[in-house]
Amino acid sequence: MSHKRIPKRKAAIAVGGVAALGAAALLLPQANASQDGGGGGGASTARTLKADDASDLSAQLAKLLGDAFAGSYYDSASRQLVVDVTDVSGDNNVIVQAKKAGAEVRQVDNSAAELEAAARTLRTKATIPGTAWAVDPRTNKILVTADSTVTGARWDRLESTVDGLGSGMATVKKSAGTFKTFVSGGDAIFGGGARCSLGFNVTAGDGSPAFLTAGHCGVAARQWSDAQNGAPIATVDQATFPGNGDFALVKYDDPNTQAPSDVNVGGGQSVQILRAAEATVGQQVFRMGSTTGLHDGQVLGLDATVNYPEGTVTGLIQTDVCAEPGDSGGSLFTQDGSAVGLTSGGSGDCTSGGETFFQPVTTALAATGATLGDAGAGGQQAGGDQQAGNGQQAGGDRTGGGQEAGAGAGDGSADGSGAADDQSGADASNGQASGTGQASGTGQASGTGHAGRSGRSGLTDTH
């Protein structure tokens, strides 16, 4: 594959070709959803919405309803936004306002403030490697997940903390896998012995072409190539991991690089990405990786906290989309071509399932000052209205052979987070990549963690 001077191709995905791609068939554009609820619904009838529109409506209602707003989720079956409200104190006006805006409304027990307080308690008392939590508006509780390393005294500590939150505040789920960052393998970018995936091409704040990838990749190496042992083509400008996110902005060394915003979905087909959007619980999303191909699933939680062996990462998206070695840094997107996330980590595989976590693209764009869109073309700001079409792009090769990034620094209580599927390269598991080291000539990588052991990168090659 080549990252330089690639002409943009606008070939639409044909129905017959997409059907052969399995999950890619789901990417065919849907008919526009009704935005007025139909002629007989009146002001109190919930409107049918696309997931992106539901996300926008949710943001508006969160401001409108104030403390009464307790979260929302997208009901994909009815294609409606369901809004949780509390503390209405007999004032029906809150419910009336939400219904007039087009949402389905239900009253719940736990307020947003109570759920946030519970999450803070978990952060204080149960920050244990191998645990994660996120608010699930469908149950109006915090969903706490513990991987297979959380046993004995650590499990007792987690259960005790959850019990202390009070009845009906949180549930605990046990995962058979091990939480880890996904670095290695697949059609990838290479740097410092690590293999990761390019997520989305963007335009940096200074107008130069760049791309987003996982932050744990950005702290693992400063320069990246599009071929194993190849000459560097891009340099890390900013990187955050662990801490408030898992994202990196990497600038192409050649300022004339053509970097179209496409995601390769396999079979010579691609989807053009022109918009960044917030995720919505219940929303269908797609993850593309060259190891396992195209897979879809649902968003399970927002503002998730994940305690990797390398350190705690906050503000992530939790999903049930499967992942295997070959996905780290890769693209999470929607059917209509909205960029949603960058693959961070998780557990499980595409046979047994598991949990996966993604860095929100909107947060990464805001933090780095980048815009989504073709390099040199000004890009599309996050939250724009333009919907993506489908595009054609060249796929890359699936080359193995890269080394894993260095072992993560845990607190001594984790079991090492498991071994990775390194296809042929040596395990550089003790090679530290300090998060406080210089990430580029203009900025430092944030955090103090090390590049994650046993990752899985995967390419959603956007070139």
Side-chain angles (χ1 to χ4, degrees), residues 419-444:
D421 255 350
D422 187 15
Q423 296 175 349
S424 63
D427 182 358
S429 60
N430 293 318
Q432 295 181 342
S434 173
T436 58
Q438 183 98 13
S440 73
T442 59
Q444 292 184 334

Side-chain angles (χ1 to χ4, degrees), residues 238-256:
Q238 303 175 46
T240 295
F241 177 83
N244 297 323
D246 186 2
F247 58 89
L249 177 70
V250 187
K251 291 184 178 180
Y252 290 104
D253 297 332
D254 180 357
N256 295 316

Side-chain angles (χ1 to χ4, degrees), residues 379-406:
Q380 177 75 20
Q381 289 279 4
D385 332 304
Q386 195 168 5
Q387 292 184 1
N390 297 320
Q392 178 82 22
Q393 74 175 21
D397 14 282
R398 294 177 50 182
T399 55
Q403 294 174 334
E404 294 175 343

Side-chain angles (χ1 to χ4, degrees), residues 108-176:
V108 295
D109 294 328
N110 299 320
S111 69
E114 289 170 331
L115 292 170
E116 289 168 3
R120 287 195 298 271
T121 299
L122 287 167
R123 179 75 181 269
T124 301
K125 297 182 177 180
T127 297
I128 303 166
T131 61
W133 51 82
V135 174
D136 180 2
R138 290 173 293 191
T139 62
N140 187 229
K141 297 179 181 179
I142 296 177
L143 173 62
V144 181
T145 308
D147 73 12
S148 60
T149 68
V150 183
T151 58
R154 287 177 293 159
W155 173 256
D156 293 341
R157 175 180 159 195
L158 180 64
E159 271 199 318
S160 175
T161 303
V162 171
D163 289 343
L165 298 176
S167 176
M169 186 59 68
T171 58
V172 180
K173 172 186 175 184
K174 191 73 171 175
S175 173

